[in-house]
Amino acid sequence: MDHYILADNQDLTRYAFEAIIRKDERNVIHRSTDKAGLMQLLKENENSVVVLDYTLFDFIDEEQLLIISERFAMASWVLVSDELTESFLRQVIYSSHAFSIVFKDSPLKDIRDALRSASRGQRYVSQKVMEQLLSKQSEEKNNGVLTATEMEIIKAIAQGKTTKEIAEERFSSIHTITTHRKNIFRKLDVNTAHEAIKYAIRAGWVHPSEFYI
């Protein structure tokens, strides 16, 4: 049995989500129309999946949303809105693995997949969200083109693998992988692995769901 909190002030979409969720008769649905009510429900049902239309709720900004998600760390979130800005999407995706994101006009399959993933504690980011992020890629910096090997290594770094693990998987020496890392950082004009991963996500080389936080 899963608990869902519907935090959406549009009757039509709320009813639609209720219909989807009630496909499993064991599911329990709670409803909230403002932030205070949402927090009270989360206190009573800490393991809930929150289905939230952020643009219609009374959050001050994304920082407040992230603070609440950290306070109720056992909850999973499905953000469903007509439109979310690129900066908001990046901030949420980079900051927490608890958020799945779909748009209200996404295919029904995407919405079902997002709900299913959230109920399992997994993140789901729809294709349309990814396309919005990738459509506004940052300008490449000096020598920002990576070789095929470097691309594979930055993906491995994004997955949280250590230099030793990458070396073992590629049957290479730690020194070789370290050299590749230095070359990647130089080409992208970054100083840390975190900065390199953020660059790779903006450039579309790494899917946000691959990013190990």
Side-chain angles (χ1 to χ4, degrees):
M1 177 178 67
D2 293 322
H3 284 256
Y4 290 83
I5 300 175
L6 296 183
D8 189 319
N9 290 320
Q10 288 184 331
D11 289 341
L12 184 60
T13 52
R14 188 169 63 248
Y15 293 152
F17 275 108
E18 287 189 14
I20 295 171
I21 294 168
R22 289 193 188 281
K23 288 290 185 180
D24 186 338
E25 297 179 354
R26 297 169 299 175
N27 291 334
V28 178
I29 298 176
H30 311 273
R31 301 167 190 81
S32 173
T33 58
D34 58 29
K35 178 165 54 53
L38 172 59
M39 292 180 66
Q40 182 60 40
L41 285 171
L42 282 169
K43 290 177 183 178
E44 299 168 358
N45 307 277
E46 295 183 346
N47 290 303
S48 295
V49 175
V50 181
V51 181
L52 170 70
D53 186 337
Y54 171 81
T55 59
L56 296 181
F57 242 61
D58 55 337
F59 285 98
I60 296 174
D61 53 26
E62 60 264 34
E63 291 293 340
Q64 187 178 67
L65 174 62
L66 290 168
I67 289 170
I68 292 176
S69 73
E70 291 175 1
R71 178 177 176 183
F72 299 100
M74 297 176 68
S76 297
W77 300 70
V78 179
L79 300 185
V80 186
S81 298
D82 289 322
E83 184 176 355
L84 294 168
T85 66
E86 179 197 6
S87 60
F88 174 88
L89 292 172
R90 294 191 186 283
Q91 174 77 355
V92 170
I93 289 173
Y94 293 157
S95 301
S96 175
H97 200 79
F99 291 93
S100 296
I101 307 176
V102 292
F103 290 125
K104 285 189 174 180
D105 62 352
S106 296
L108 184 57
K109 179 182 181 302
D110 285 0
I111 293 173
R112 285 174 173 160
D113 287 346
L115 292 171
R116 188 179 302 111
S117 295
S119 70
R120 297 171 179 170
Q122 301 170 347
R123 177 165 65 181
Y124 180 90
V125 180
S126 74
Q127 181 64 32
K128 185 172 181 180
V129 172
M130 287 303 305
E131 289 173 356
Q132 178 170 322
L133 287 172
L134 300 181
S135 67
K136 298 180 180 179
Q137 295 176 7
S138 301
E139 294 183 1
E140 290 187 348
K141 300 181 181 180
N142 295 334
N143 301 319
V145 178
L146 303 185
T147 66
T149 297
E150 290 167 345
M151 292 284 282
E152 292 173 1
I153 290 174
I154 198 169
K155 289 180 179 180
I157 293 172
Q159 293 167 355
K161 296 177 181 177
T162 66
T163 299
K164 181 180 179 181
E165 289 171 337
I166 297 171
E168 290 175 349
E169 288 182 356
R170 300 186 62 82
F171 303 102
S172 298
S173 67
I174 293 178
H175 173 74
T176 298
I177 302 303
T178 300
T179 300
H180 281 307
R181 283 173 60 102
K182 290 180 179 178
N183 289 337
I184 292 170
F185 289 8
R186 174 181 55 78
K187 289 182 177 182
L188 303 185
D189 192 22
V190 298
N191 300 299
T192 66
H194 187 76
E195 291 175 352
I197 294 167
K198 289 174 67 175
Y199 186 104
I201 291 175
R202 289 195 298 269
W205 303 335
V206 175
H207 191 286
S209 63
E210 295 180 271
F211 181 24
Y212 178 82
I213 299 176

